[in-house]
Amino acid sequence: MRPAVCNTLQRFPYRPQEGVLLITPRPLGERADPRTQEEERMTQTLDTPTQTPAQRAERWFADFEEALRARDVARAAGMFAATSFWRDLVAFTWNIATVENPDGVADLLTATLDRTDPTGFAIDEPPDEADGVTTAWFTFETAVGRGRGLLRLVEEDGEAKAAPKAWTFLTTLYELKGFEEPRGPARPMGAEHGVNKDRLTWLERREKEESELGISVQPEVLVIGGGQGGIALGARLRQLGVPALVADKHDRPGDQWRGRYKSLCLHDPVWYDHLPYLKFPENWPVFSPKDKIGDWLESYVRVMEIPYWGSTVATKATYSPEKGEWTVEVERHGKPLTLRPKQVVLATGMSGKPNVPVIPGQDVFRGDQQHSSAHPGPDAYAGKKVVVIGSNNSAFDICGALWEHDADVTMVQRSSTHIVKSATLMDIGLGALYSEEAVTAGVTTEKADLIFASLPYRIMHEFQIPLYEQMKERDADFYERLEKAGFWHDWGEDGSGLFMKYLRRGSGYYIDVGAADLVADGQVKLVHGVVDHLTEDAVVLEDGTALPADLVVYATGYGSMNGWAADLISQEVADKVGKVWGLGSETTKDPGPWEGEQRNMWKPTQQDALWFHGGNLHQSRHYSLYLGLQLKARYEGIPTPVYGLQEVHHLR
Amino acid sequence: MRPAVCNTLQRFPYRPQEGVLLITPRPLGERADPRTQEEERMTQTLDTPTQTPAQRAERWFADFEEALRARDVARAAGMFAATSFWRDLVAFTWNIATVENPDGVADLLTATLDRTDPTGFAIDEPPDEADGVTTAWFTFETAVGRGRGLLRLVEEDGEAKAAPKAWTFLTTLYELKGFEEPRGPARPMGAEHGVNKDRLTWLERREKEESELGISVQPEVLVIGGGQGGIALGARLRQLGVPALVADKHDRPGDQWRGRYKSLCLHDPVWYDHLPYLKFPENWPVFSPKDKIGDWLESYVRVMEIPYWGSTVATKATYSPEKGEWTVEVERHGKPLTLRPKQVVLATGMSGKPNVPVIPGQDVFRGDQQHSSAHPGPDAYAGKKVVVIGSNNSAFDICGALWEHDADVTMVQRSSTHIVKSATLMDIGLGALYSEEAVTAGVTTEKADLIFASLPYRIMHEFQIPLYEQMKERDADFYERLEKAGFWHDWGEDGSGLFMKYLRRGSGYYIDVGAADLVADGQVKLVHGVVDHLTEDAVVLEDGTALPADLVVYATGYGSMNGWAADLISQEVADKVGKVWGLGSETTKDPGPWEGEQRNMWKPTQQDALWFHGGNLHQSRHYSLYLGLQLKARYEGIPTPVYGLQEVHHLR
């Protein structure tokens, strides 16, 4: 559904003050430096003592750890380049935060160093070097947990003789000490050997839990929304031993997908879509059909033993700061019930809250009207006239399927859309991190997630622009035809393409799987304009054009996720939390100031004990770990002072 | 449920005429030879040209391929040691067959060489050497397929100067040319890009297939029995594109496990139990509880899209040699239906056909009587008197659970049983091939399966005996207590322990997860003898001992799988096929002559188009590939002349 990651491994430009360095990292494991070990040893004796990537990285970590141990913030901050980025996922900040440049580093360390007490920085595979950037994977410990990260070192201002400095520095927490996950060598035994008169079987324990959780035993965490986001988080919390309940309005897990238009397939490829702990099998299709992913989610819930309530709607939630507890009214299979969790996570989805325009005449129109999320597919509309309002992903998918079923389809384009062809995006945009080749080269999903997480949002568009320039060139004929047909096409305001649009505004693009040709060829009619009103049997634009219609589909997108908080809790709380999603990039639908991270996602908000979780399968997988660890720490009573709590600059 | 594999990697004795070589292979990837590459190069120039393991293996393969290409059977056979074993899984023989010694090799090659036309033998990872045995993984091709295998070379009679000869040689087929499986880089696209007016969605295609297969479209293969065996084979056939239907009398996949006594857990650990294509997740318990494995099987059927008919009983099958087709009468949800598959696989399980003894007075006894497979668990029997007849796995599990629920339990031991403690078996018996450590050391499940398959059944007991001697020593106190309590304990007739008992007779052992202590301590009463008759309220032994009973459990095992063929087809066909399972080891319940392989399992039988599939999860996983390829070849019309068709020496 959502677009793909940038392919930062293919072109990774580093721009110190005086110029541009183009970096082309290779698959992991391949030596960047063609010198043999012997040549390297020779170089060492002849040259400076910090010539090899390993030595450079080791030296940096030794110095950094010494500075940290001495609580010498200035010295540690001085080890970062003038333009540099430290991204921390929960390990130092109990937040998802990026600080910039030595002063940002100093600020972060001043606030967090004493209680974090980081130690044991260790490089855990041979560092790599390419075009002036040394890359090193490492592990470390804090007072309460264990982490891993990725460092990129550069020589600042071409000062080859000076010690290299950190350009990007990623630190992530992966486990809390004393609360290691039961998996791999620590997996549970399952059978309890020996004899025990009080033994409960696995089934009896499951049934007991099912009869109690949410009824006589309150969950620590209530996750509202059981799509891929809620399910991935449910699996993490289960694994971390946090009593949590995932509730969803649909009957069965996966119905969120099953209920959508029938031609829907994931637009992201399988390597990008794995859930935690259990990967798709090797025969899984590249692009999952919606019902198949629905079945997978349902099976996953069962296999992971995630407590999941279907047919459950949360109607009202209030928080008591005194009790540190929510009161959430739900209807389960229509029966009212009150839950009292300590934490509430809204995992209702980026595409959860339909944005349906209010248009005069909607009450007069005699045909069907559907938001794209409620469109059942084309079967009933063969030979009918259909007007689809909108020109992004859902609009194209729906137009394509209707055309295939011999409907007479008109697309109303209201504003410019960015289109890339699916195969092109896979090759140029995703290949190095998420592909069969990446897996073969040792870039596991987990590794790809960390590489991707290590790229600062601030400069991500710079890495994206050249990729989209490649795509433009490769598919030049296609774009020419499309524009000739009158389609308003763009590449994002700064030419940075699809993934930045996704991060900034979550809309404005189509990953073409074929339907764009229908528009280019005129098979699907294209009109531009603003809808003025509906009549009994037509959509009328502001310029007076009347489009006869038996069906109107509003492919008009979704609102900000804090709209859910307004509905469920109160407008006051929604406003207190502010806009969810976006970076503050000062582009359309993503006003500034710069936020550094995605607004309010997977991290503490201005409302105690209220969290937002969601995004595509990649984000649901990766960020559920950090949200899970934040919730686990609170459950276990580990202090979690938050550095850099999200400020509110926009209400929705 | 079934026992574990031998740990041949820990002690692997090679016995040429004059002595014993003890081999202790290491985890793969670790260098056996501590010499550096440079030392090796030096050795090469100073010493004979066949010094390194790689050179020895390369030389052998070059010579072997040359002999095969020249169709020089005598020369090729002469490259095998006087005592040697070639095991072929389908690649040369279209059978599962082991030949012994140069004359056996000559016989196999004479029959198969021309049509197999093997070429391209290539070593695919650095060969290893330890204690006089060189081990090499290799790949090769035949006229119709691609294979991989494992070679072990020895210097015969200590003739260090002579070319080394093959001691064990495993060849396996893994794919048919032109019919490669759609997975990994060849996985399906899922979404069909472009526009297509005849498009069916994934769901529509699935629904169409479901409405047609077995009704208007006949399956190529009918798999009767949908436990782990039928399901694993169903997945293989699905993946190979062979239209197959799996039918089972139970309602849902996994009910075969769910319906059994409630304390049941797998007795084999998770690393041994993976199904094809989709491994258990890293948080899966070591020993799966029965309901959890049931849920997994059900999810697996859905995820793998295996056509599966629940609540379906096959009542009658007849084969028409003229049509090359079966007529199988089934009742699906009680409704009669006729299927006409080309091939029938009985996957009803080693533990599929209960063996219930006929005892006078069974009609008079007023309490409950159950075969172990129908025992519901202990809940209804608290405070009741229970007599369990038998002293193997099920008997112990059931006694233990009943004791935990405060039943008064007596075990009737009729003959000697072999017991090993579960943890001991895991450590000593399984660890090197199927464990977390093995996985970490690079021994994937697939690799472990091939290593295990490379060990000739003929000499397997020799590798097993020292392992069980270790176990005996480690748990000496336990065995002393057990024997002091009067329990008849054995280690197999030749001291080769549990796994050989499994392969030879499929019974006679208990993997102790705790209940043996209850017998040793007298908490579960133990009596010996033969049951003479039942009265209204007691079991009476031949010596006159009366055991009062409210419940009698017959933990009396299962019959030969060809009993299923007798019930379903005819006694004539069952007798034509003969006994299923066992090796012909001339030990109890496994009479000679030596068969070389498990009787009638996963390979052609004397009845055209009738196959037996089953065993533990390891066997269901591994051998389903070879059975699947045999069925695929027949479906595609590839000639499959069988070398060494199973002879019949015993009827049941």
Side-chain angles (χ1 to χ4, degrees):
Chain A
M1 268 298 286
R2 303 281 165 21
V5 73
C6 59
N7 183 341
T8 48
L9 280 188
Q10 294 203 358
R11 285 171 78 86
F12 196 163
Y14 164 61
R15 301 186 176 183
Q17 282 87 326
E18 77 284 9
V20 175
L21 262 171
L22 285 179
I23 299 158
T24 314
R26 276 147 305 290
L28 295 159
E30 199 179 298
R31 281 183 70 87
D33 188 333
R35 291 176 299 180
T36 64
Q37 286 189 330
E38 198 166 343
E39 284 169 344
E40 222 165 70
R41 270 193 301 274
M42 284 175 61
T43 313
Q44 285 160 38
T45 44
L46 296 174
D47 212 329
T48 74
T50 52
Q51 276 298 314
T52 73
Q55 286 170 324
R56 271 196 294 277
E58 273 159 24
R59 173 71 188 275
W60 190 90
F61 278 113
D63 288 353
F64 187 60
E65 186 159 350
E66 200 179 290
L68 297 182
R69 185 170 294 120
R71 303 293 187 259
D72 186 343
V73 167
R75 183 177 156 202
M79 297 178 63
F80 284 72
T83 299
S84 55
F85 306 89
W86 180 355
R87 185 168 198 227
D88 180 63
L89 305 182
V90 182
F92 282 70
T93 59
W94 287 111
N95 199 353
I96 291 180
T98 299
V99 293
E100 299 185 8
N101 311 337
D103 57 336
V105 171
D107 189 68
L108 186 153
L109 283 176
T110 303
T112 64
L113 184 54
D114 271 334
R115 63 153 183 78
T116 304
D117 191 24
T119 54
F121 288 87
I123 293 169
D124 69 345
E125 59 179 78
D128 197 5
E129 192 270 334
D131 301 316
V133 178
T134 299
T135 303
W137 291 94
F138 64 95
T139 56
F140 64 101
E141 292 194 15
T142 70
V144 299
R146 295 184 190 88
R148 56 173 64 97
L150 187 55
L151 167 72
R152 291 190 187 86
L153 289 176
V154 292
E155 279 160 7
E156 210 168 26
D157 301 324
E159 287 176 34
K161 290 281 150 32
K165 295 190 172 183
W167 173 40
T168 72
F169 187 52
L170 171 73
T171 49
T172 75
L173 189 73
Y174 70 86
E175 70 183 2
L176 291 163
K177 291 177 185 173
F179 304 102
E180 294 80 8
E181 290 187 36
R183 54 171 162 158
R187 66 175 79 225
M189 282 301 282
E192 176 205 343
H193 290 179
V195 288
N196 172 8
K197 291 227 171 192
D198 301 318
R199 182 197 300 272
L200 285 182
T201 66
W202 175 85
L203 183 63
E204 287 166 340
R205 273 184 286 118
R206 292 279 289 141
E207 286 171 347
K208 182 169 185 287
E209 182 187 30
E210 201 175 313
S211 70
E212 290 176 352
L213 188 66
I215 296 152
S216 58
V217 173
Q218 285 305 315
E220 169 78 8
V221 180
L222 175 65
V223 182
I224 299 176
Q228 65 266 20
I231 286 173
L233 182 61
R236 299 278 191 193
L237 293 172
R238 183 78 183 172
Q239 186 70 1
L240 287 164
V242 179
L245 195 53
V246 180
D248 195 277
K249 66 183 175 185
H250 298 88
D251 180 26
R252 292 155 51 205
D255 280 353
Q256 301 84 356
W257 287 95
R258 290 190 194 95
R260 299 207 59 202
Y261 55 89
K262 72 173 195 175
S263 63
L264 178 63
C265 289
L266 298 196
H267 289 191
D268 286 330
V270 58
W271 310 279
Y272 191 62
D273 300 334
H274 293 299
L275 289 172
Y277 309 117
L278 182 65
K279 292 202 166 64
F280 293 110
E282 54 185 339
N283 58 359
W284 198 263
V286 176
F287 299 105
S288 299
K290 73 177 175 75
D291 295 282
K292 191 166 169 69
I293 198 79
D295 284 356
W296 178 262
L297 291 172
E298 188 171 14
S299 293
Y300 183 87
V301 164
R302 183 136 65 133
V303 163
M304 291 292 152
E305 304 181 16
I306 301 168
Y308 190 103
W309 283 7
S311 303
T312 300
V313 181
T315 55
K316 184 71 202 153
T318 50
Y319 185 68
S320 162
E322 298 74 35
K323 293 189 190 165
E325 182 179 286
W326 289 91
T327 301
V328 185
E329 305 298 339
V330 306
E331 286 182 13
R332 187 184 186 194
H333 296 290
K335 205 188 121 205
L337 202 85
T338 304
L339 294 172
R340 300 190 185 283
K342 302 285 185 220
Q343 309 283 341
V344 165
V345 180
L346 293 182
T348 32
M350 273 197 66
S351 303
K353 201 167 160 50
N355 191 4
V356 183
V358 176
I359 300 171
Q362 282 175 324
D363 53 335
V364 171
F365 183 71
R366 286 193 184 155
D368 296 344
Q369 299 177 67
Q370 299 150 356
H371 186 263
S372 60
S373 60
H375 173 66
D379 295 324
Y381 300 104
K384 303 283 184 183
K385 290 181 168 50
V386 184
V387 173
V388 176
I389 299 169
S391 56
N392 289 345
N393 261 332
S394 297
F396 272 98
D397 273 355
I398 289 169
C399 286
L402 284 163
W403 179 89
E404 286 183 347
H405 279 70
D406 298 314
D408 175 354
V409 190
T410 302
M411 174 185 278
V412 180
Q413 185 173 30
R414 301 171 305 159
S415 59
S416 169
T417 296
H418 169 45
I419 300 183
V420 284
K421 289 190 152 304
S422 173
T424 303
L425 187 66
M426 272 231 292
D427 288 354
I428 297 175
L430 265 177
L433 284 183
Y434 299 98
S435 65
E436 207 69 40
E437 295 71 34
V439 173
T440 306
V443 185
T444 61
T445 309
E446 293 72 19
K447 207 153 204 170
D449 286 350
L450 289 178
I451 293 171
F452 181 41
S454 75
L455 306 170
Y457 286 130
R458 174 75 93 173
I459 52 173
M460 198 176 268
H461 61 284
E462 296 180 23
F463 314 148
Q464 296 284 295
I465 292 165
L467 301 178
Y468 287 85
E469 283 168 355
Q470 277 181 60
M471 296 187 207
K472 192 183 219 163
E473 202 179 306
R474 170 161 156 174
D475 296 326
D477 290 355
F478 165 72
Y479 292 111
E480 199 187 318
R481 284 199 299 125
L482 200 61
E483 277 154 34
K484 207 171 268 177
F487 193 82
W488 295 340
H489 183 261
D490 71 88
W491 293 88
E493 277 158 61
D494 51 3
S496 63
L498 197 143
F499 192 67
M500 293 313 301
K501 275 202 170 188
Y502 171 67
L503 291 175
R504 291 166 173 175
R505 54 180 280 196
S507 64
Y509 50 82
Y510 169 50
I511 300 175
D512 180 32
V513 293
D517 281 329
L518 295 175
V519 171
D521 299 347
Q523 306 272 5
V524 165
K525 284 169 269 183
L526 178 70
V527 301
H528 295 102
V530 175
V531 177
D532 185 74
H533 65 281
L534 270 57
T535 64
E536 283 187 5
D537 55 7
V539 174
V540 183
L541 305 184
E542 278 185 350
D543 67 1
T545 311
L547 307 168
D550 301 304
L551 164 67
V552 178
V553 178
Y554 301 105
T556 42
Y558 300 86
S560 164
M561 275 181 272
N562 70 338
W564 289 108
D567 290 356
L568 179 66
I569 310 165
S570 67
Q571 191 61 51
E572 190 196 338
V573 166
D575 290 350
K576 184 169 144 192
V577 166
K579 183 174 169 67
V580 180
W581 205 260
L583 299 168
S585 62
E586 298 186 351
T587 58
T588 307
K589 299 195 181 180
D590 185 30
W594 180 249
E595 306 276 5
E597 292 286 337
Q598 295 242 279
R599 291 185 193 92
N600 281 315
M601 291 302 297
W602 316 292
K603 61 181 184 176
T605 69
Q606 292 284 349
Q607 171 59 54
D608 273 357
L610 179 66
W611 309 78
F612 293 86
H613 176 59
N616 59 26
L617 281 150
H618 154 73
Q619 292 168 311
S620 295
R621 168 184 69 245
H622 188 57
Y623 288 99
S624 56
L625 170 61
Y626 308 106
L627 179 48
L629 288 169
Q630 292 173 80
L631 293 166
K632 172 70 173 177
R634 282 158 178 83
Y635 175 60
E636 299 294 349
I638 296 169
T640 56
V642 175
Y643 170 80
L645 183 65
Q646 177 74 54
E647 290 172 15
V648 178
H649 302 109
H650 305 282
L651 295 188
R652 63 206 65 173
Chain B
M1 267 296 285
R2 305 274 170 22
V5 72
C6 58
N7 182 342
T8 48
L9 281 187
Q10 294 203 355
R11 285 169 78 84
F12 195 165
Y14 165 60
R15 301 184 176 186
Q17 282 88 324
E18 75 284 12
V20 175
L21 262 173
L22 286 179
I23 299 159
T24 314
R26 274 148 306 289
L28 295 159
E30 200 178 297
R31 280 184 70 86
D33 189 334
R35 291 176 300 181
T36 64
Q37 287 190 332
E38 196 165 340
E39 284 170 345
E40 224 167 65
R41 271 192 300 273
M42 285 176 61
T43 315
Q44 286 162 36
T45 42
L46 298 173
D47 213 330
T48 74
T50 52
Q51 276 298 315
T52 72
Q55 286 171 323
R56 271 196 295 276
E58 274 159 22
R59 174 71 187 276
W60 190 91
F61 278 113
D63 289 352
F64 187 62
E65 186 159 349
E66 198 179 293
L68 296 183
R69 184 169 296 119
R71 301 294 186 259
D72 188 342
V73 167
R75 184 176 155 203
M79 296 178 63
F80 283 72
T83 299
S84 55
F85 306 89
W86 180 354
R87 185 167 197 227
D88 180 63
L89 305 182
V90 181
F92 282 72
T93 58
W94 287 109
N95 199 353
I96 291 180
T98 299
V99 293
E100 300 185 7
N101 311 336
D103 56 336
V105 171
D107 189 68
L108 186 153
L109 284 176
T110 303
T112 65
L113 184 53
D114 270 337
R115 63 152 184 80
T116 304
D117 191 23
T119 54
F121 288 87
I123 293 169
D124 68 346
E125 59 179 78
D128 198 5
E129 192 270 335
D131 301 318
V133 178
T134 299
T135 303
W137 291 96
F138 65 94
T139 56
F140 65 99
E141 291 194 14
T142 70
V144 300
R146 295 182 191 89
R148 56 173 64 97
L150 188 54
L151 167 72
R152 291 189 186 86
L153 288 176
V154 293
E155 279 161 7
E156 210 168 26
D157 302 322
E159 288 176 35
K161 292 279 152 30
K165 295 191 171 183
W167 172 41
T168 72
F169 187 53
L170 171 73
T171 49
T172 75
L173 189 73
Y174 71 86
E175 70 183 4
L176 291 163
K177 291 178 186 173
F179 304 103
E180 294 79 8
E181 290 187 36
R183 54 170 160 157
R187 66 175 77 225
M189 281 302 281
E192 177 205 342
H193 291 179
V195 288
N196 171 8
K197 291 226 172 197
D198 300 319
R199 183 197 299 271
L200 286 182
T201 67
W202 175 85
L203 183 64
E204 287 165 340
R205 273 183 284 117
R206 292 280 287 141
E207 286 171 347
K208 182 170 185 286
E209 182 187 30
E210 201 174 314
S211 70
E212 292 175 351
L213 188 66
I215 296 151
S216 58
V217 173
Q218 286 303 315
E220 168 78 7
V221 179
L222 175 65
V223 182
I224 300 176
Q228 64 266 19
I231 285 173
L233 181 62
R236 299 278 191 194
L237 293 172
R238 183 78 183 172
Q239 187 68 4
L240 287 164
V242 178
L245 196 54
V246 179
D248 195 277
K249 65 182 175 185
H250 298 89
D251 180 27
R252 293 154 51 206
D255 280 353
Q256 302 84 356
W257 288 94
R258 291 190 193 95
R260 300 208 57 201
Y261 54 88
K262 73 173 194 174
S263 62
L264 179 63
C265 288
L266 298 197
H267 289 190
D268 286 331
V270 58
W271 309 280
Y272 191 62
D273 299 333
H274 294 298
L275 289 172
Y277 309 116
L278 181 64
K279 292 203 166 61
F280 293 111
E282 53 185 340
N283 59 359
W284 198 262
V286 177
F287 298 105
S288 300
K290 72 176 176 75
D291 294 282
K292 191 168 170 68
I293 198 79
D295 285 355
W296 178 262
L297 290 172
E298 188 170 12
S299 293
Y300 183 88
V301 164
R302 183 136 65 131
V303 164
M304 291 293 152
E305 304 181 16
I306 301 168
Y308 191 102
W309 283 8
S311 303
T312 301
V313 182
T315 54
K316 184 72 202 153
T318 50
Y319 186 67
S320 162
E322 298 74 34
K323 293 188 191 167
E325 181 179 286
W326 289 91
T327 301
V328 185
E329 306 298 339
V330 306
E331 285 183 13
R332 187 184 185 193
H333 296 290
K335 205 188 123 206
L337 203 85
T338 304
L339 295 172
R340 301 189 185 282
K342 302 285 184 218
Q343 309 283 341
V344 165
V345 180
L346 293 181
T348 33
M350 275 197 65
S351 303
K353 200 166 161 51
N355 191 3
V356 183
V358 177
I359 300 170
Q362 282 173 324
D363 53 335
V364 171
F365 183 72
R366 286 194 183 155
D368 295 344
Q369 299 178 70
Q370 298 150 356
H371 185 264
S372 59
S373 60
H375 173 66
D379 294 324
Y381 301 103
K384 303 284 184 183
K385 290 180 169 50
V386 184
V387 174
V388 176
I389 298 170
S391 56
N392 291 345
N393 261 333
S394 297
F396 271 98
D397 274 353
I398 289 169
C399 286
L402 284 163
W403 179 88
E404 287 183 347
H405 279 70
D406 299 315
D408 175 355
V409 190
T410 302
M411 174 186 277
V412 180
Q413 185 174 30
R414 301 171 304 160
S415 59
S416 169
T417 297
H418 168 45
I419 300 183
V420 283
K421 288 189 150 307
S422 173
T424 303
L425 187 66
M426 273 231 292
D427 288 354
I428 298 176
L430 266 177
L433 284 182
Y434 299 98
S435 66
E436 208 68 40
E437 295 72 35
V439 173
T440 306
V443 184
T444 61
T445 309
E446 292 72 20
K447 206 153 203 171
D449 287 350
L450 288 178
I451 294 171
F452 182 41
S454 75
L455 306 169
Y457 286 130
R458 175 74 93 174
I459 53 172
M460 196 176 270
H461 60 285
E462 296 178 25
F463 315 148
Q464 296 284 293
I465 292 166
L467 301 178
Y468 286 84
E469 282 167 357
Q470 278 181 60
M471 297 188 207
K472 192 183 218 163
E473 203 179 304
R474 169 162 157 174
D475 296 326
D477 291 355
F478 166 73
Y479 291 110
E480 200 186 318
R481 283 197 300 124
L482 200 63
E483 277 154 34
K484 208 171 266 176
F487 193 82
W488 295 338
H489 183 262
D490 71 88
W491 292 89
E493 277 159 61
D494 51 4
S496 62
L498 196 143
F499 191 67
M500 293 313 301
K501 274 202 169 186
Y502 171 67
L503 290 175
R504 289 165 173 175
R505 52 180 282 198
S507 64
Y509 51 81
Y510 169 50
I511 299 176
D512 180 32
V513 293
D517 281 328
L518 295 175
V519 171
D521 299 348
Q523 305 272 4
V524 165
K525 284 170 270 180
L526 178 69
V527 301
H528 295 103
V530 175
V531 177
D532 186 73
H533 65 280
L534 270 58
T535 65
E536 282 187 2
D537 56 5
V539 173
V540 183
L541 304 184
E542 276 185 351
D543 67 1
T545 310
L547 307 168
D550 301 304
L551 165 66
V552 178
V553 178
Y554 300 106
T556 43
Y558 300 87
S560 164
M561 275 181 272
N562 69 337
W564 288 109
D567 290 357
L568 180 66
I569 310 165
S570 67
Q571 191 61 52
E572 190 196 340
V573 165
D575 291 349
K576 185 168 143 193
V577 167
K579 183 175 170 68
V580 179
W581 204 261
L583 300 168
S585 62
E586 298 187 350
T587 58
T588 306
K589 300 196 180 178
D590 185 29
W594 180 250
E595 306 275 6
E597 292 287 338
Q598 294 241 278
R599 292 184 192 92
N600 281 315
M601 291 303 296
W602 316 293
K603 62 182 184 175
T605 68
Q606 292 286 346
Q607 171 60 54
D608 273 357
L610 179 67
W611 310 78
F612 293 86
H613 176 58
N616 59 27
L617 280 150
H618 153 74
Q619 292 168 311
S620 295
R621 169 184 67 246
H622 188 57
Y623 289 99
S624 57
L625 171 60
Y626 308 106
L627 179 48
L629 288 169
Q630 291 173 80
L631 293 166
K632 174 69 173 177
R634 281 158 177 84
Y635 175 60
E636 299 294 349
I638 296 170
T640 55
V642 175
Y643 171 80
L645 183 66
Q646 177 74 52
E647 290 172 15
V648 178
H649 303 109
H650 306 282
L651 295 189
R652 61 204 69 173

